Amino acid sequence: MFKKILIANRGEIACRVIKTARRMGIQTVAVYSDADARAPFVQMADEAVHIGPSPAAQSYLIADKIIAACKQTGAEAVHPGYGFLSERTSFAEQLAAEGIAFIGPPVGAIAAMGDKIESKKLAKEAGVNVVPGFVGEIEDTEHAVRISNEIGYPVMMKASAGGGGKGMRLAYDEKDVREGFEAVKREGLNSFGDDRVFIEKFILNPRHIEIQILGDQHGNILYLNERECSIQRRHQKVVEEAPSPFVTPKMRKAMGEQCVALARAVGYYSAGTVELIVSGADPSGESFYFLEMNTRLQVEHPVTECITGIDLVEQMIRVAAGEKLAFTQDDIKIEGWAIENRVYAEDPYRGFLPSTGRLVRYQPPVDGWTEDEDGNGRRGVDGVRVDDGVYEGGEVSMFYDPMIAKLITWGKTRDEAADKQIEALDRFEIEGLGHNIDFVSAIMQHPRFRSGELTTGFIAEEYPDGFSGAATSDEALGHLAAIAGFVATARADRARQIDQQLNGELEPPYDWSVKIGGRTFTVELEEEVLVNGEPLDIGISYTPGERLIEAHVEGQTYGVKLEPTRTGLKMTTRGAIHNVQILPARVANLTQHMIEKVPPDLSKFLICPMPGLLVALHVAEGDKVEAGQPLAVVEAMKMENILRAEKSATVKKVNAKAGDSLAVDAVILELE
């Protein structure tokens, strides 16, 4: 077994590998860029080596620097994590040439399956179903248009070396192809150093199901069941679960055996994942197609660990050291259900735009990497696990993926795992930047999610007009009004105890008018709590100044984040933000005399919706534009975002130029 390994990655996956290596008695080496100098993974590792500036292209993507760090520290092996160099054949070859073990699959398998074009050819030759498409070199945009017309719309354009949802565009017609083909090439080149693109038929209403593969260097290859990853946004996974609510034992066996055969055909070992597109309209499960194989550890690997009890990182290390798998296919079981939500630095209330910045407050529901009493970290604490790589006061940088943490829950049933997600998300405190906690909580509560009727179009279909918060029942609004009244009374009671007030000691008000969700409730707190005259059974403990409270109302438990406002509270719970107006009942009627403030008209400005780089500006002063016309392209988190005109107008003034770094809400140009 290795004595020391180096992790050629950052963030939560670097912490993940270090945690298992430490349990195995293996020393670890971290490498870090300028942006990550104070990151938790650097502190966790036994040694750390600085490898360059913040941009990945100048640090984490330079193989020579990784190898130099191995030589400097005496690391015998490298775990690449996911992303960066994890699927780059040249990196594995360089390590082999230096006598350093690669904790991953053989070079031949990476080459065969890592290239989406070549892998489809191999899969087809092996008799595996593949999605209809064009798997050769595409010359230019005109060639792409001809291919798309032949396949039939809609089609998906993908960067050959892509991954993580980057370098992908869906085209419903020729116009979409012409507009998106060059963007896909650029994203592929910028993110992966490869601008090749392939085009395939897009299967409507598909489910995204993947099979976890694990093999050793002695010819043993197993499948560790499936993961359902259908809930995606911009082709990037948001929610993952294991097992899939769609897959039957018969389907699982058929998919697993076919994926094992494909892996065996390329001499695969280590952990890997075969991704499949499955027609949700076919309950037989026979309509599944090979999509790609990821020759690395997946972001969503914890849900497989939860239901199988197998530490995938440990197995990767053991396989790389030449050990045989200590279990067989018959030993692989499914125990309970696991769900993972990715907590991203993005603002769902503003079209999911990236939100970089400092984590002014970061308090997860359980500390990251905390084990239960039995020392089993796979299921966290009481079925709640947090995999993270950030810290309070740290910064979510524009240079890397915007994921803050992964929240994993395990339960005996799917509903139990989802309920634990909702409770844990309510206790997840993040301040300083936008995040998607409310959004994933809303998904966990959604009737369609609970039914298991999932497709990759779930988010687009259920939130066609964007996200404005989870639906809240009238009953829940009444419960929140009672909580708000209790909090208001406690705050008023604290205020009355301040010294030197006029007229002696005052009694705090006990009767409140609470406006929430467009409704107004009367809340009375004397011997019992009354909402609109009806008594409620409520249990709550609150001290003024607390940010997070737990309340029990009529048998239901609410974890509520509180933030004082000028007229009341901002209350966040169960996937929704409620701006609550709380007034003493005796003055509530006076609000009808207040004049409403009219919001300013911002339609005459093109406003930058996120911090990013202005890649292109398509218009100049004096140009006439039409509604829907592309005006500018802003790049953030390695993704290009096209900004369009909302209405017909003339460009009055241009305030920025291509190459400028823009802040959120910066005015790019003015229209008239």
Side-chain angles (χ1 to χ4, degrees):
M1 180 51 64
F2 307 118
K3 293 181 180 178
K4 183 184 290 188
I5 65 173
L6 181 144
I7 299 94
N9 217 297
R10 61 176 299 280
E12 60 88 16
I13 187 57
C15 295
R16 169 73 187 87
V17 177
I18 292 168
K19 183 176 184 296
T20 287
R22 180 183 294 164
R23 182 167 48 80
M24 295 174 70
I26 300 171
Q27 288 190 307
T28 55
V29 180
V31 291
Y32 64 94
S33 69
D34 290 345
D36 286 331
R38 296 178 179 84
F41 75 93
V42 177
Q43 309 301 320
M44 283 179 68
D46 296 298
E47 299 175 65
V49 179
H50 177 251
I51 55 169
S54 299
Q58 299 175 44
S59 50
Y60 296 107
L61 286 171
I62 299 182
D64 290 343
K65 290 187 175 183
I66 305 296
I67 291 169
C70 288
K71 292 179 178 179
Q72 177 184 331
T73 58
E76 305 158 82
V78 170
H79 195 302
Y82 47 73
F84 295 141
L85 298 172
S86 61
E87 294 178 284
R88 190 167 294 185
T89 53
S90 59
F91 179 55
E93 288 170 342
Q94 284 180 263
L95 288 174
E98 297 290 344
I100 302 168
F102 180 68
I103 302 175
V107 172
I110 300 174
M113 306 310 292
D115 186 307
K116 291 183 174 63
I117 293 175
E118 292 303 317
S119 66
K120 285 187 182 298
K121 290 179 181 177
L122 278 166
K124 200 169 185 179
E125 290 168 5
V128 179
N129 288 344
V130 297
V131 180
F134 185 84
V135 294
E137 291 285 335
I138 299 175
E139 298 162 9
D140 53 26
T141 301
E142 292 302 323
H143 190 197
V145 168
R146 291 198 301 274
I147 291 166
S148 301
N149 289 336
E150 288 170 8
I151 295 171
Y153 296 98
V155 298
M156 179 68 78
M157 298 177 288
K158 294 185 181 180
S160 177
K166 296 180 177 68
M168 302 174 73
R169 286 287 193 284
L170 181 58
Y172 286 96
D173 52 33
E174 182 176 317
K175 179 187 171 203
D176 288 347
V177 176
R178 292 186 183 280
E179 193 173 279
F181 180 72
E182 290 298 329
V184 173
K185 288 189 71 172
R186 283 196 301 271
E187 286 183 8
L189 186 63
N190 291 340
S191 295
F192 311 104
D194 187 339
D195 69 352
R196 290 177 301 155
V197 174
F198 71 95
I199 299 176
E200 66 184 9
K201 177 76 174 176
F202 182 72
I203 297 171
L204 294 171
N205 301 320
R207 297 182 82 115
H208 185 127
I209 295 172
E210 59 190 33
I211 301 292
Q212 176 69 58
I213 297 294
L214 181 64
D216 62 25
Q217 299 186 50
H218 305 276
N220 302 304
I221 305 178
L222 314 176
Y223 63 91
L224 275 59
N225 306 313
E226 80 285 350
R227 295 185 288 259
E228 172 91 52
C229 307
S230 295
I231 297 184
Q232 305 177 3
R233 193 186 59 75
R234 292 180 182 169
H235 316 296
Q236 191 162 28
K237 299 163 191 172
V238 177
V239 181
E240 300 103 350
E241 59 182 308
S244 164
F246 182 73
V247 173
T248 64
K250 180 182 176 182
M251 292 163 60
R252 182 174 298 118
K253 188 172 187 291
M255 291 176 180
E257 290 178 351
Q258 185 168 333
C259 294
V260 165
L262 179 62
R264 197 176 297 283
V266 293
Y268 199 89
Y269 58 78
S270 193
T273 296
V274 180
E275 301 198 354
L276 306 170
I277 288 289
V278 183
S279 172
D282 182 2
S284 73
E286 295 176 1
S287 302
F288 63 86
Y289 305 92
F290 171 77
L291 182 62
E292 63 180 319
M293 184 172 188
N294 291 312
T295 57
R296 53 169 168 79
L297 193 66
Q298 293 280 94
V299 176
E300 57 272 20
H301 74 272
V303 293
T304 296
E305 295 182 330
C306 285
I307 65 165
T308 63
I310 294 171
D311 185 323
L312 285 169
V313 173
E314 178 183 345
Q315 294 305 317
M316 291 180 76
I317 294 171
R318 292 191 182 282
V319 167
E323 294 186 14
K324 284 186 178 181
L325 295 179
F327 41 85
T328 66
Q329 189 66 58
D330 291 339
D331 296 321
I332 307 302
K333 309 296 182 186
I334 297 178
E335 185 180 356
W337 214 287
I339 299 174
E340 174 180 299
N341 276 305
R342 301 189 188 189
V343 179
Y344 279 123
E346 61 184 14
D347 192 343
Y349 295 100
R350 298 187 63 178
F352 298 93
L353 295 172
S355 179
T356 57
R358 191 163 301 284
L359 284 164
V360 176
R361 186 169 181 81
Y362 176 74
Q363 294 292 327
V366 298
D367 290 339
W369 315 106
T370 305
E371 299 180 340
D372 60 19
E373 293 177 356
D374 299 326
N376 178 4
R378 290 185 291 278
R379 292 178 184 165
V381 180
D382 296 327
V384 179
R385 167 178 166 179
V386 173
D387 288 11
D388 60 13
V390 299
Y391 63 99
E392 187 168 286
E395 190 171 344
V396 176
S397 168
M398 63 177 283
F399 298 105
Y400 313 116
D401 187 88
M403 189 166 68
I404 297 171
K406 301 186 304 197
L407 176 66
I408 306 102
T409 55
W410 177 88
K412 293 180 180 178
T413 65
R414 186 170 184 265
D415 279 340
E416 184 183 339
D419 288 343
K420 285 185 177 181
Q421 280 283 342
I422 297 166
E423 293 173 11
L425 288 164
D426 276 347
R427 303 198 310 273
F428 214 130
E429 296 183 77
I430 297 176
E431 294 178 15
L433 42 72
H435 56 77
N436 68 336
I437 285 176
D438 288 351
F439 180 63
V440 290
S441 178
I443 292 175
M444 294 295 99
Q445 300 169 63
H446 201 289
R448 181 174 162 189
F449 173 80
R450 290 300 182 116
S451 74
E453 297 297 321
L454 311 177
T455 70
T456 55
F458 177 93
I459 290 176
E461 292 159 10
E462 299 302 326
Y463 302 96
D465 301 319
F467 179 72
S468 56
T472 307
S473 67
D474 287 346
E475 179 188 49
L477 288 176
H479 294 174
L480 292 176
I483 296 169
F486 186 95
V487 169
T489 296
R491 292 173 64 193
D493 187 55
R494 167 68 66 85
R496 77 182 178 88
Q497 297 177 41
I498 297 173
D499 287 344
Q500 300 180 17
Q501 297 196 65
L502 296 175
N503 203 28
E505 194 172 274
L506 302 173
E507 280 295 311
Y510 293 100
D511 298 339
W512 301 92
S513 174
V514 179
K515 188 173 182 180
I516 178 173
R519 294 191 57 190
T520 301
F521 298 86
T522 59
V523 180
E524 302 169 67
L525 297 94
E526 301 254 4
E527 294 180 358
E528 57 183 348
V529 178
L530 303 176
V531 175
N532 289 348
E534 296 293 324
L536 288 184
D537 180 19
I538 181 170
I540 181 174
S541 174
Y542 170 72
T543 301
E546 284 187 285
R547 299 167 179 264
L548 176 66
I549 61 171
E550 186 174 289
H552 305 275
V553 186
E554 295 293 313
Q556 296 192 47
T557 300
Y558 295 86
V560 187
K561 292 187 273 285
L562 303 175
E563 184 180 328
T565 63
R566 188 172 58 85
T567 58
L569 290 169
K570 184 167 81 172
M571 303 174 70
T572 305
T573 186
R574 296 191 179 184
I577 296 173
H578 302 279
N579 288 301
V580 187
Q581 183 189 73
I582 312 170
L583 295 172
R586 59 187 174 80
V587 299
N589 288 334
L590 300 177
T591 59
Q592 63 184 309
H593 302 294
M594 301 296 289
I595 300 172
E596 282 195 31
K597 187 175 181 180
V598 180
D601 177 17
L602 299 177
S603 64
K604 60 183 179 180
F605 300 106
L606 180 67
I607 296 173
C608 186
M610 78 214 85
L613 179 70
L614 184 59
V615 176
L617 190 62
H618 300 308
V619 294
E621 289 184 14
D623 287 357
K624 292 185 178 180
V625 299
E626 300 297 328
Q629 179 180 333
L631 302 180
V633 178
V634 175
E635 181 185 289
M637 298 292 187
K638 301 180 184 176
M639 298 286 286
E640 290 190 359
N641 302 272
I642 301 173
L643 308 184
R644 304 175 185 274
E646 294 184 11
K647 61 184 180 181
S648 298
T650 301
V651 179
K652 177 183 178 182
K653 183 180 179 183
V654 176
N655 297 326
K657 62 182 183 301
D660 285 356
S661 292
L662 302 176
V664 64
D665 293 334
V667 176
I668 299 172
L669 52 86
E670 299 177 30
L671 303 168
E672 62 179 358

